[in-house]
Amino acid sequence: YGSMEQQSLVNDLMNITITGSSPEEILQSVSLSIPKVMNLFIGAVDNCTQLTDGWGITALVKCIEAVFVKYIKRLMNVLQQLKVLCGIDESNQDRIQTTERGSENGNNGQDEWIDLQWAFQFIQCCGDLLLRSSSLNSQLSSLLLSKAWSYRNPATITHPFGVFDYLRLYHPEEHTAVMELLQTVEKNGGDYRILPKTVDEIKLLTETSHTLAFDI
């Protein structure tokens, strides 16, 4: 299940375009991509429920985090593209040259303000992404907790995973992982970070976008 789900998510992610010929178009494509990507993950949660009755949740978490890293890398590339469009490179020499040219033309302050607005829009996208990932985390917690009884009494349900106790018989390590995750969520509550890598990647992206704003 895990391999098939991840391949499906990767293929769907490739079909989501994040591009544009201007900063406005780029930022719009970033903003539009966020709900599309998160909807892919929500669909994957539904697949997990229907295909495995929730027993595939640890495999699902690995899938989501692996695909999310790929998505964040694309957003990092977009951020680098915005740096170039804003006249900022790693050494900041482009910004210095742009400042000199802008000062000669008397437009430097206005240009920098526009660049700063672009950076703020990207930061807003990061905030939207963080909120949606938090909602996804809650959805995964709810799925896990809602299946707690069937996890502990698999033979009493009609789903094939329960009837045959599939994970315990053929993949005991995955069965152990599911039960450990369940116990951790029950102990720490629904706010427990099931997707820690996802949150860390978003925070890194946000920090990088804040650096862009400061450089401007």
Side-chain angles (χ1 to χ4, degrees), residues 50-208:
Q50 295 176 14
L51 296 175
T52 74
D53 197 39
W55 281 103
I57 191 166
T58 53
L60 174 63
V61 168
K62 292 178 182 178
C63 292
I64 290 177
E65 295 208 309
V67 175
F68 204 92
V69 168
K70 294 180 181 294
Y71 177 56
I72 292 296
K73 285 183 178 179
R74 291 180 63 182
L75 295 185
M76 280 291 193
N77 290 335
V78 169
L79 195 57
Q80 185 59 42
Q81 187 177 357
L82 285 174
K83 283 186 176 182
V84 174
L85 292 172
C86 290
I88 299 173
D89 64 7
E90 295 300 323
S91 65
N92 232 23
Q93 292 302 310
D94 285 347
R95 165 57 69 187
I96 293 172
Q97 294 173 5
T98 302
T99 300
E100 291 174 350
R101 290 195 300 269
S103 297
E104 293 173 359
N105 297 329
N107 296 325
N108 183 56
Q110 182 178 358
D111 292 341
E112 287 190 356
W113 173 243
I114 293 174
D115 292 349
L116 194 59
Q117 287 180 315
W118 293 338
F120 285 156
Q121 287 180 42
F122 195 93
I123 292 172
Q124 288 178 334
C125 289
C126 293
D128 183 25
L129 192 58
L130 186 60
L131 287 173
R132 290 176 184 270
S133 67
S134 177
S135 177
L136 177 63
N137 192 94
S138 297
Q139 187 171 354
L140 288 169
S141 294
S142 296
L143 169 61
L144 195 64
L145 295 173
S146 69
K147 297 295 181 179
W149 191 87
S150 61
Y151 287 150
R152 294 188 171 104
N153 303 275
T156 61
I157 60 176
T158 58
H159 194 282
F161 267 81
V163 173
F164 300 109
D165 205 359
Y166 177 79
L167 282 190
R168 189 191 298 272
L169 293 174
Y170 298 103
H171 298 280
E173 70 288 348
E174 290 187 30
H175 180 274
T176 300
V178 171
M179 298 308 295
E180 288 179 347
L181 181 59
L182 172 61
Q183 292 170 7
T184 301
V185 172
E186 287 179 330
K187 179 180 179 180
N188 294 279
D191 293 332
Y192 174 75
R193 285 171 54 182
I194 296 180
L195 302 168
K197 291 182 181 179
T198 297
V199 176
D200 290 342
E201 289 289 332
I202 296 174
K203 287 184 176 179
L204 178 59
L205 181 68
T206 304
E207 290 171 2
T208 306

Side-chain angles (χ1 to χ4, degrees), residues 24-66:
E24 291 88 349
E25 291 180 358
I26 294 173
L27 288 165
Q28 184 179 25
S29 69
V30 170
S31 180
L32 292 174
S33 74
I34 294 173
K36 292 178 182 178
V37 170
M38 299 311 295
N39 284 337
L40 292 180
F41 295 148
I42 292 172
V45 175
D46 292 338
N47 291 340
C48 179
T49 303
Q50 295 176 14
L51 296 175
T52 74
D53 197 39
W55 281 103
I57 191 166
T58 53
L60 174 63
V61 168
K62 292 178 182 178
C63 292
I64 290 177
E65 295 208 309

